[in-house]
Amino acid sequence: MKVAVLPGDGIGPEITAVAVEVLKTVAPDLELGFAPVGGAAYEAYGHPLPAATLALAQSSDAVLFGAVGDWKYDALERALRPEQAILGLRRALGLFANLRPAILYPELAEASSLKTEIVAGLDLLIIRELTGDIYFGTPRGRRASPDGAFAGASEAFDTMRYTEPEIERIAHIAFRAAKARSQRVTSVDKANVLETSQLWRDVVNRVHQQYPDIKLDHMYVDNAAMQLVRAPKSFDVIVTGNLFGDILSDEAAMLTGSIGMLPSASLNERGQGLYEPSHGSAPDIAGQGIANPLATILSAALLLRYSLKRETQAARIEHAVQRVLADGRRTADIVGTKGVSVGTEAMGEAVLQALSQR
Ligand code: NAD
């Protein structure tokens, strides 16, 4: 099986190098191919997603992605900016399902801004539809307002759209994910107001009939946003559209206190996926050897679980990370009041060491 490794910019190369060592240790048979992406690719080839990088990603079973972007590219025309590489990969690989686990290890409970008893042990999975909704719906644009109280004034408009097959395929992903967890799915929409949400709810209910063992409930997005801070542990799998998922997944990420801990997976219909930390390229700390590599290491675990179907290897990595945290090792972003502060490489070595102690 083949994995494309795209380190990218900023802290991307540092954290990816560590995750690759972990991957090589747990799954030595994997074929790894490396290619530049983002600003690094622009510097080398004049484009953030060169044809050779895209071809490597397309011919691989999965992509391990670091992060892209740097403020020095802000003046470039949009098509050449590093972040366009992610959009290009999503489009070319047809990645429509974004999976973002929000896990708060008991050892890090005090990193959260919520009370320990509310968040300690949190383990939820947000599944966000990635290719539809108001971000891509047409028509969109600016014009003189054709009607209403301000007819003639300049206005802007976007269109929220979803087709049944788009909702069906993301619902299947959610129910299947719930099967391997605690058998519960919460579908989040705004069906009291939006046509798209009414369709969403109908289709999710219909797909649910194929998964009689899974408990499904529906929640309006405003309530879900409240419940996420009031009682986050009441959720297990949340499935929602692109816009609501964008907001709720960031809210859930902050429950855990450190963005340096959160992996993510984006999947297509063939199970091919792109795996990356939820954070960006952190140019402010790049090259200092202090970035937290755990989100990328945990992304490698998701890669083994979802694209390569190697649950045992995925769980081995997750247990090793847990053990390192229990031993008190912390990178600067999660050090808090307890623990020993270590750099990126030392954190990677600690995980490798934990892997060697079965
Ligand atoms: P960011 O996530 O890079 O950084 C936000 C803050 O979190 C910074 O203070 C950073 O030092 C810290 N941080 C992030 N990851 C960390 C880690 N692993 N360990 C320790 N601290 C960490 O977000 P930003 O500053 O808004 O964006 C920086 C660049 O990243 C921009 O160019 C942006 O476009 C890009 N970006 C890329 C992606 C991606 O590649 N998927 C996602 C978001 C932002």
Side-chain angles (χ1 to χ4, degrees):
M1 300 200 104
K2 191 167 153 190
V3 173
V5 182
L6 313 182
D9 309 320
I11 59 170
E14 305 163 44
I15 53 180
T16 312
V18 171
V20 162
E21 288 310 311
V22 170
L23 208 48
K24 280 184 183 167
T25 303
V26 173
D29 59 313
L30 292 182
E31 182 189 337
L32 303 178
F34 294 78
V37 73
Y42 173 76
E43 301 286 354
Y45 301 102
H47 196 279
L49 184 58
T53 301
L54 181 57
L56 174 70
Q58 283 174 317
S59 65
S60 300
D61 298 288
V63 177
L64 183 66
F65 190 94
V68 292
D70 191 297
W71 302 303
K72 71 181 176 191
Y73 302 113
D74 281 355
L76 280 179
E77 66 172 278
R78 186 186 287 250
L80 296 178
R81 287 199 205 147
E83 293 80 2
Q84 291 300 314
I86 305 175
L87 299 178
L89 282 165
R90 275 187 196 163
R91 231 184 346 258
L93 297 176
L95 305 174
F96 69 91
N98 183 228
L99 279 62
R100 274 176 61 171
I103 296 173
L104 183 56
Y105 297 94
E107 296 83 5
L108 300 182
E110 63 175 42
S112 173
S113 51
L114 295 191
K115 290 184 196 131
T116 303
E117 62 269 28
I118 292 178
V119 282
L122 175 77
D123 180 0
L124 71 86
L125 175 64
I126 298 203
I127 301 183
R128 166 188 169 197
E129 202 288 329
L130 214 50
T131 58
D133 211 338
I134 197 160
Y135 295 156
F136 300 100
T138 52
R140 57 189 289 161
R142 291 189 180 214
R143 63 184 174 189
S145 179
D147 49 25
F150 298 99
S154 172
E155 75 170 11
F157 61 101
D158 300 282
T159 307
M160 184 176 264
R161 286 174 71 162
Y162 263 120
T163 58
E164 287 197 23
E166 283 173 299
I167 304 168
E168 262 166 29
R169 63 185 187 177
I170 194 82
H172 280 294
I173 296 265
F175 290 123
R176 278 187 222 130
K179 266 189 166 181
R181 296 173 54 98
S182 66
Q183 321 283 317
R184 281 186 299 125
V185 171
T186 304
S187 173
V188 172
D189 61 36
K190 190 73 181 166
N192 50 343
V193 184
L194 299 171
E195 289 290 337
T196 35
S197 283
Q198 282 166 18
L199 179 71
W200 178 280
R201 200 172 272 218
D202 292 346
V203 175
V204 171
N205 279 332
R206 202 177 63 231
V207 174
H208 178 225
Q209 290 169 7
Q210 297 175 43
Y211 301 87
D213 298 339
I214 308 287
K215 184 177 175 301
L216 167 69
D217 54 68
H218 299 276
M219 196 177 277
Y220 297 137
V221 63
D222 40 350
N223 188 21
M226 282 197 293
Q227 298 308 325
L228 266 177
V229 286
R230 194 189 70 83
K233 286 192 275 185
S234 64
F235 294 103
D236 188 52
V237 173
I238 292 178
V239 63
T240 188
N242 204 347
L243 173 65
F244 302 151
D246 192 1
I247 299 164
L248 294 182
S249 57
D250 270 13
E251 186 187 354
M254 283 326 295
L255 296 175
T256 69
S258 174
I259 192 132
M261 294 295 303
L262 297 170
S264 88
S266 301
L267 304 177
N268 69 14
E269 269 167 302
R270 297 185 305 283
Q272 220 181 357
L274 183 141
Y275 299 82
E276 57 175 334
S278 296
H279 57 73
S281 56
D284 53 336
I285 58 166
Q288 297 177 30
I290 58 170
N292 186 346
L294 293 179
T296 317
I297 290 173
L298 292 167
S299 299
L302 296 186
L303 181 155
L304 291 165
R305 171 171 299 129
Y306 291 119
S307 284
L308 308 191
K309 312 287 182 223
R310 297 183 180 194
E311 176 58 36
T312 312
Q313 294 178 347
R316 254 190 92 194
I317 294 180
E318 289 165 348
H319 289 147
V321 168
Q322 227 162 343
R323 185 179 299 187
V324 165
L325 293 173
D327 285 349
R329 309 288 170 84
R330 307 278 188 270
T331 41
D333 56 315
I334 51 172
V335 74
T337 51
K338 295 183 197 147
V340 186
S341 183
V342 297
T344 311
E345 278 184 23
M347 184 56 106
E349 276 156 24
V351 174
L352 292 176
Q353 210 170 25
L355 281 170
S356 68
Q357 302 162 359
R358 284 208 164 240

mmCIF file of all heavy atoms in Angstrom, residues 11 15 65-71 74 83 86 258-261 276-285 290-295 331 333, ligand 1:
data_model
loop_
_atom_site.group_PDB
_atom_site.id
_atom_site.type_symbol
_atom_site.label_atom_id
_atom_site.label_comp_id
_atom_site.label_asym_id
_atom_site.label_seq_id
_atom_site.Cartn_x
_atom_site.Cartn_y
_atom_site.Cartn_z
ATOM 1 N N ILE A 11 5.727 24.690 10.072
ATOM 2 C CA ILE A 11 6.074 23.534 10.916
ATOM 3 C C ILE A 11 5.776 22.207 10.208
ATOM 4 O O ILE A 11 6.113 21.144 10.724
ATOM 5 C CB ILE A 11 5.331 23.561 12.280
ATOM 6 C CG1 ILE A 11 3.797 23.554 12.077
ATOM 7 C CG2 ILE A 11 5.765 24.748 13.118
ATOM 8 C CD1 ILE A 11 3.007 23.346 13.365
ATOM 9 N N ILE A 15 6.844 18.412 11.794
ATOM 10 C CA ILE A 15 5.876 17.498 12.414
ATOM 11 C C ILE A 15 5.656 16.260 11.537
ATOM 12 O O ILE A 15 5.441 15.171 12.043
ATOM 13 C CB ILE A 15 4.531 18.226 12.703
ATOM 14 C CG1 ILE A 15 3.986 18.922 11.458
ATOM 15 C CG2 ILE A 15 4.702 19.213 13.847
ATOM 16 C CD1 ILE A 15 2.657 19.652 11.662
ATOM 17 N N PHE A 65 -0.599 14.747 5.088
ATOM 18 C CA PHE A 65 -0.380 16.151 4.715
ATOM 19 C C PHE A 65 0.064 16.911 5.963
ATOM 20 O O PHE A 65 -0.546 16.759 7.026
ATOM 21 C CB PHE A 65 -1.720 16.685 4.190
ATOM 22 C CG PHE A 65 -1.675 18.031 3.535
ATOM 23 C CD1 PHE A 65 -1.533 18.151 2.157
ATOM 24 C CD2 PHE A 65 -1.793 19.188 4.290
ATOM 25 C CE1 PHE A 65 -1.520 19.391 1.541
ATOM 26 C CE2 PHE A 65 -1.780 20.439 3.678
ATOM 27 C CZ PHE A 65 -1.648 20.534 2.303
ATOM 28 N N GLY A 66 1.109 17.725 5.845
ATOM 29 C CA GLY A 66 1.552 18.527 7.003
ATOM 30 C C GLY A 66 0.664 19.751 7.153
ATOM 31 O O GLY A 66 -0.420 19.699 7.726
ATOM 32 N N ALA A 67 1.113 20.863 6.620
ATOM 33 C CA ALA A 67 0.304 22.094 6.631
ATOM 34 C C ALA A 67 0.906 23.015 5.580
ATOM 35 O O ALA A 67 2.071 22.876 5.228
ATOM 36 C CB ALA A 67 0.351 22.761 7.996
ATOM 37 N N VAL A 68 0.096 23.947 5.076
ATOM 38 C CA VAL A 68 0.622 24.890 4.087
ATOM 39 C C VAL A 68 0.277 26.317 4.483
ATOM 40 O O VAL A 68 -0.664 26.553 5.235
ATOM 41 C CB VAL A 68 0.084 24.611 2.665
ATOM 42 C CG1 VAL A 68 0.627 23.299 2.124
ATOM 43 C CG2 VAL A 68 -1.440 24.640 2.624
ATOM 44 N N GLY A 69 1.068 27.233 3.937
ATOM 45 C CA GLY A 69 0.762 28.655 4.124
ATOM 46 C C GLY A 69 1.853 29.403 4.855
ATOM 47 O O GLY A 69 2.573 28.854 5.687
ATOM 48 N N ASP A 70 1.986 30.649 4.458
ATOM 49 C CA ASP A 70 2.886 31.562 5.155
ATOM 50 C C ASP A 70 2.452 32.953 4.747
ATOM 51 O O ASP A 70 2.034 33.167 3.607
ATOM 52 C CB ASP A 70 4.346 31.333 4.728
ATOM 53 C CG ASP A 70 5.306 32.075 5.634
ATOM 54 O OD1 ASP A 70 5.262 33.326 5.671
ATOM 55 O OD2 ASP A 70 6.087 31.417 6.331
ATOM 56 N N TRP A 71 2.576 33.885 5.689
ATOM 57 C CA TRP A 71 2.123 35.248 5.396
ATOM 58 C C TRP A 71 2.883 35.851 4.215
ATOM 59 O O TRP A 71 2.385 36.730 3.549
ATOM 60 C CB TRP A 71 2.287 36.130 6.647
ATOM 61 C CG TRP A 71 1.505 35.555 7.796
ATOM 62 C CD1 TRP A 71 0.159 35.286 7.796
ATOM 63 C CD2 TRP A 71 1.986 35.123 9.068
ATOM 64 N NE1 TRP A 71 -0.217 34.729 8.993
ATOM 65 C CE2 TRP A 71 0.873 34.610 9.797
ATOM 66 C CE3 TRP A 71 3.239 35.107 9.685
ATOM 67 C CZ2 TRP A 71 0.981 34.101 11.086
ATOM 68 C CZ3 TRP A 71 3.333 34.602 10.971
ATOM 69 C CH2 TRP A 71 2.227 34.109 11.658
ATOM 70 N N ASP A 74 0.957 36.115 0.994
ATOM 71 C CA ASP A 74 -0.357 36.768 0.998
ATOM 72 C C ASP A 74 -0.593 37.656 -0.235
ATOM 73 O O ASP A 74 -1.729 37.863 -0.653
ATOM 74 C CB ASP A 74 -0.541 37.620 2.274
ATOM 75 C CG ASP A 74 -0.902 36.740 3.464
ATOM 76 O OD1 ASP A 74 -1.084 35.525 3.253
ATOM 77 O OD2 ASP A 74 -0.974 37.255 4.587
ATOM 78 N N GLU A 83 -2.566 27.743 0.147
ATOM 79 C CA GLU A 83 -3.812 27.099 0.605
ATOM 80 C C GLU A 83 -4.609 26.512 -0.560
ATOM 81 O O GLU A 83 -5.441 25.610 -0.361
ATOM 82 C CB GLU A 83 -4.689 28.100 1.375
ATOM 83 C CG GLU A 83 -4.111 28.558 2.711
ATOM 84 C CD GLU A 83 -3.039 29.637 2.587
ATOM 85 O OE1 GLU A 83 -2.747 30.074 1.440
ATOM 86 O OE2 GLU A 83 -2.480 30.023 3.620
ATOM 87 N N ILE A 86 -4.709 22.657 -0.980
ATOM 88 C CA ILE A 86 -5.668 21.801 -0.253
ATOM 89 C C ILE A 86 -6.966 21.707 -1.044
ATOM 90 O O ILE A 86 -7.522 20.625 -1.221
ATOM 91 C CB ILE A 86 -5.979 22.373 1.146
ATOM 92 C CG1 ILE A 86 -4.691 22.567 1.920
ATOM 93 C CG2 ILE A 86 -6.925 21.460 1.908
ATOM 94 C CD1 ILE A 86 -4.906 23.246 3.249
ATOM 95 N N SER A 258 -6.073 22.421 23.065
ATOM 96 C CA SER A 258 -4.899 22.608 22.207
ATOM 97 C C SER A 258 -5.140 22.107 20.808
ATOM 98 O O SER A 258 -5.442 20.936 20.580
ATOM 99 C CB SER A 258 -3.678 21.880 22.738
ATOM 100 O OG SER A 258 -2.658 22.004 21.764
ATOM 101 N N ILE A 259 -4.925 23.014 19.886
ATOM 102 C CA ILE A 259 -5.077 22.673 18.484
ATOM 103 C C ILE A 259 -3.947 21.729 18.040
ATOM 104 O O ILE A 259 -4.075 21.013 17.056
ATOM 105 C CB ILE A 259 -5.122 23.970 17.659
ATOM 106 C CG1 ILE A 259 -5.574 23.723 16.240
ATOM 107 C CG2 ILE A 259 -3.813 24.703 17.677
ATOM 108 C CD1 ILE A 259 -6.628 24.663 15.772
ATOM 109 N N GLY A 260 -2.881 21.688 18.794
ATOM 110 C CA GLY A 260 -1.742 20.825 18.454
ATOM 111 C C GLY A 260 -2.010 19.342 18.668
ATOM 112 O O GLY A 260 -1.174 18.497 18.385
ATOM 113 N N MET A 261 -3.202 19.010 19.173
ATOM 114 C CA MET A 261 -3.532 17.617 19.495
ATOM 115 C C MET A 261 -4.545 17.009 18.534
ATOM 116 O O MET A 261 -4.887 15.841 18.670
ATOM 117 C CB MET A 261 -4.162 17.547 20.894
ATOM 118 C CG MET A 261 -3.264 17.905 22.037
ATOM 119 S SD MET A 261 -1.905 16.758 22.213
ATOM 120 C CE MET A 261 -2.763 15.203 22.402
ATOM 121 N N GLU A 276 -4.503 15.072 7.956
ATOM 122 C CA GLU A 276 -3.692 16.237 8.323
ATOM 123 C C GLU A 276 -4.073 16.718 9.717
ATOM 124 O O GLU A 276 -5.187 16.486 10.178
ATOM 125 C CB GLU A 276 -3.920 17.380 7.313
ATOM 126 C CG GLU A 276 -5.380 17.777 7.215
ATOM 127 C CD GLU A 276 -5.642 18.979 6.312
ATOM 128 O OE1 GLU A 276 -4.746 19.805 6.128
ATOM 129 O OE2 GLU A 276 -6.773 19.087 5.813
ATOM 130 N N PRO A 277 -3.133 17.423 10.376
ATOM 131 C CA PRO A 277 -3.506 18.027 11.648
ATOM 132 C C PRO A 277 -4.543 19.118 11.391
ATOM 133 O O PRO A 277 -4.590 19.681 10.297
ATOM 134 C CB PRO A 277 -2.186 18.619 12.148
ATOM 135 C CG PRO A 277 -1.345 18.807 10.927
ATOM 136 C CD PRO A 277 -1.738 17.720 9.984
ATOM 137 N N SER A 278 -5.370 19.415 12.407
ATOM 138 C CA SER A 278 -6.398 20.446 12.217
ATOM 139 C C SER A 278 -5.812 21.855 12.215
ATOM 140 O O SER A 278 -6.490 22.790 11.832
ATOM 141 C CB SER A 278 -7.442 20.346 13.330
ATOM 142 O OG SER A 278 -8.103 19.118 13.230
ATOM 143 N N HIS A 279 -4.581 21.974 12.674
ATOM 144 C CA HIS A 279 -3.986 23.317 12.734
ATOM 145 C C HIS A 279 -3.310 23.691 11.415
ATOM 146 O O HIS A 279 -3.212 22.872 10.498
ATOM 147 C CB HIS A 279 -2.985 23.405 13.894
ATOM 148 C CG HIS A 279 -1.882 22.377 13.811
ATOM 149 N ND1 HIS A 279 -0.858 22.447 12.899
ATOM 150 C CD2 HIS A 279 -1.660 21.249 14.530
ATOM 151 C CE1 HIS A 279 -0.039 21.427 13.083
ATOM 152 N NE2 HIS A 279 -0.515 20.667 14.058
ATOM 153 N N GLY A 280 -2.823 24.945 11.348
ATOM 154 C CA GLY A 280 -2.146 25.419 10.147
ATOM 155 C C GLY A 280 -0.639 25.249 10.250
ATOM 156 O O GLY A 280 -0.147 24.420 11.032
ATOM 157 N N SER A 281 0.086 26.053 9.468
ATOM 158 C CA SER A 281 1.535 25.880 9.352
ATOM 159 C C SER A 281 2.313 26.610 10.432
ATOM 160 O O SER A 281 3.538 26.538 10.458
ATOM 161 C CB SER A 281 1.980 26.357 7.973
ATOM 162 O OG SER A 281 1.557 27.698 7.791
ATOM 163 N N ALA A 282 1.613 27.332 11.315
ATOM 164 C CA ALA A 282 2.235 28.011 12.462
ATOM 165 C C ALA A 282 3.568 28.668 12.132
ATOM 166 O O ALA A 282 4.594 28.343 12.745
ATOM 167 C CB ALA A 282 2.374 27.024 13.627
ATOM 168 N N PRO A 283 3.577 29.607 11.183
ATOM 169 C CA PRO A 283 4.854 30.222 10.816
ATOM 170 C C PRO A 283 5.550 30.900 11.997
ATOM 171 O O PRO A 283 6.785 31.043 12.000
ATOM 172 C CB PRO A 283 4.481 31.275 9.753
ATOM 173 C CG PRO A 283 3.042 31.108 9.455
ATOM 174 C CD PRO A 283 2.438 30.144 10.424
ATOM 175 N N ASP A 284 4.754 31.279 13.024
ATOM 176 C CA ASP A 284 5.364 31.974 14.175
ATOM 177 C C ASP A 284 6.325 31.093 14.972
ATOM 178 O O ASP A 284 7.198 31.602 15.663
ATOM 179 C CB ASP A 284 4.252 32.539 15.106
ATOM 180 C CG ASP A 284 3.225 31.494 15.541
ATOM 181 O OD1 ASP A 284 3.058 30.488 14.832
ATOM 182 O OD2 ASP A 284 2.608 31.686 16.602
ATOM 183 N N ILE A 285 6.184 29.767 14.877
ATOM 184 C CA ILE A 285 7.097 28.899 15.639
ATOM 185 C C ILE A 285 7.881 27.949 14.727
ATOM 186 O O ILE A 285 8.586 27.068 15.204
ATOM 187 C CB ILE A 285 6.332 28.079 16.714
ATOM 188 C CG1 ILE A 285 5.220 27.221 16.079
ATOM 189 C CG2 ILE A 285 5.745 28.983 17.790
ATOM 190 C CD1 ILE A 285 4.667 26.147 17.023
ATOM 191 N N ILE A 290 9.767 23.357 18.378
ATOM 192 C CA ILE A 290 8.889 23.303 19.563
ATOM 193 C C ILE A 290 7.450 22.911 19.211
ATOM 194 O O ILE A 290 6.606 22.806 20.091
ATOM 195 C CB ILE A 290 8.869 24.654 20.325
ATOM 196 C CG1 ILE A 290 8.403 25.799 19.404
ATOM 197 C CG2 ILE A 290 10.237 24.957 20.919
ATOM 198 C CD1 ILE A 290 8.129 27.104 20.152
ATOM 199 N N ALA A 291 7.151 22.720 17.913
ATOM 200 C CA ALA A 291 5.767 22.409 17.517
ATOM 201 C C ALA A 291 5.334 21.056 18.070
ATOM 202 O O ALA A 291 6.142 20.130 18.188
ATOM 203 C CB ALA A 291 5.655 22.396 15.993
ATOM 204 N N ASN A 292 4.081 20.954 18.378
ATOM 205 C CA ASN A 292 3.513 19.691 18.871
ATOM 206 C C ASN A 292 3.242 18.768 17.670
ATOM 207 O O ASN A 292 2.423 19.094 16.814
ATOM 208 C CB ASN A 292 2.201 20.001 19.604
ATOM 209 C CG ASN A 292 1.607 18.783 20.275
ATOM 210 O OD1 ASN A 292 2.011 17.662 20.002
ATOM 211 N ND2 ASN A 292 0.645 19.015 21.153
ATOM 212 N N PRO A 293 3.905 17.614 17.605
ATOM 213 C CA PRO A 293 3.697 16.717 16.452
ATOM 214 C C PRO A 293 2.539 15.740 16.654
ATOM 215 O O PRO A 293 2.261 14.924 15.778
ATOM 216 C CB PRO A 293 5.015 15.954 16.388
ATOM 217 C CG PRO A 293 5.432 15.848 17.825
ATOM 218 C CD PRO A 293 4.923 17.084 18.542
ATOM 219 N N LEU A 294 1.862 15.798 17.813
ATOM 220 C CA LEU A 294 0.890 14.736 18.122
ATOM 221 C C LEU A 294 -0.321 14.740 17.195
ATOM 222 O O LEU A 294 -0.838 13.675 16.840
ATOM 223 C CB LEU A 294 0.458 14.813 19.594
ATOM 224 C CG LEU A 294 1.569 14.500 20.608
ATOM 225 C CD1 LEU A 294 1.052 14.631 22.035
ATOM 226 C CD2 LEU A 294 2.162 13.112 20.382
ATOM 227 N N ALA A 295 -0.786 15.926 16.761
ATOM 228 C CA ALA A 295 -1.933 15.955 15.842
ATOM 229 C C ALA A 295 -1.587 15.227 14.539
ATOM 230 O O ALA A 295 -2.429 14.537 13.951
ATOM 231 C CB ALA A 295 -2.350 17.391 15.550
ATOM 232 N N THR A 331 4.594 19.113 24.962
ATOM 233 C CA THR A 331 5.220 20.189 24.189
ATOM 234 C C THR A 331 4.727 21.514 24.783
ATOM 235 O O THR A 331 3.785 21.527 25.579
ATOM 236 C CB THR A 331 4.826 20.100 22.701
ATOM 237 O OG1 THR A 331 3.449 19.775 22.609
ATOM 238 C CG2 THR A 331 5.664 19.082 21.958
ATOM 239 N N ASP A 333 2.922 23.934 23.947
ATOM 240 C CA ASP A 333 1.525 24.372 23.842
ATOM 241 C C ASP A 333 0.601 23.688 24.842
ATOM 242 O O ASP A 333 -0.489 24.179 25.112
ATOM 243 C CB ASP A 333 0.996 24.111 22.410
ATOM 244 C CG ASP A 333 1.135 22.646 22.008
ATOM 245 O OD1 ASP A 333 2.206 22.060 22.255
ATOM 246 O OD2 ASP A 333 0.174 22.086 21.475
HETATM 247 P P1 NAD B 1 -2.185 28.105 12.822
HETATM 248 O O1 NAD B 1 -3.013 26.934 13.176
HETATM 249 O O2 NAD B 1 -1.032 27.847 11.937
HETATM 250 O O3 NAD B 1 -1.623 28.757 14.195
HETATM 251 C C1 NAD B 1 -2.471 29.280 15.204
HETATM 252 C C2 NAD B 1 -1.685 29.306 16.545
HETATM 253 O O4 NAD B 1 -1.554 27.979 17.029
HETATM 254 C C3 NAD B 1 -0.269 29.856 16.400
HETATM 255 O O5 NAD B 1 0.073 30.583 17.558
HETATM 256 C C4 NAD B 1 0.588 28.606 16.321
HETATM 257 O O6 NAD B 1 1.913 28.795 16.812
HETATM 258 C C5 NAD B 1 -0.186 27.628 17.184
HETATM 259 N N1 NAD B 1 -0.022 26.247 16.701
HETATM 260 C C6 NAD B 1 -0.565 25.705 15.581
HETATM 261 N N2 NAD B 1 -0.165 24.435 15.450
HETATM 262 C C7 NAD B 1 0.643 24.154 16.504
HETATM 263 C C8 NAD B 1 1.375 22.997 16.922
HETATM 264 N N3 NAD B 1 1.356 21.854 16.228
HETATM 265 N N4 NAD B 1 2.116 23.076 18.052
HETATM 266 C C9 NAD B 1 2.141 24.207 18.777
HETATM 267 N N5 NAD B 1 1.473 25.347 18.435
HETATM 268 C C10 NAD B 1 0.730 25.313 17.312
HETATM 269 O O7 NAD B 1 -3.158 29.208 12.218
HETATM 270 P P2 NAD B 1 -2.829 30.660 11.602
HETATM 271 O O8 NAD B 1 -1.718 31.305 12.376
HETATM 272 O O9 NAD B 1 -4.110 31.324 11.493
HETATM 273 O O10 NAD B 1 -2.322 30.347 10.129
HETATM 274 C C11 NAD B 1 -0.950 30.225 9.757
HETATM 275 C C12 NAD B 1 -0.864 29.784 8.310
HETATM 276 O O11 NAD B 1 -1.423 28.473 8.204
HETATM 277 C C13 NAD B 1 -1.669 30.674 7.343
HETATM 278 O O12 NAD B 1 -0.913 30.841 6.170
HETATM 279 C C14 NAD B 1 -2.930 29.858 7.080
HETATM 280 O O13 NAD B 1 -3.494 30.143 5.829
HETATM 281 C C15 NAD B 1 -2.386 28.463 7.142
HETATM 282 N N6 NAD B 1 -3.376 27.408 7.444
HETATM 283 C C16 NAD B 1 -3.191 26.229 6.812
HETATM 284 C C17 NAD B 1 -4.030 25.164 7.091
HETATM 285 C C18 NAD B 1 -3.756 23.848 6.423
HETATM 286 O O14 NAD B 1 -2.672 23.653 5.898
HETATM 287 N N7 NAD B 1 -4.701 22.911 6.421
HETATM 288 C C19 NAD B 1 -5.078 25.314 8.021
HETATM 289 C C20 NAD B 1 -5.218 26.530 8.682
HETATM 290 C C21 NAD B 1 -4.332 27.590 8.394
#
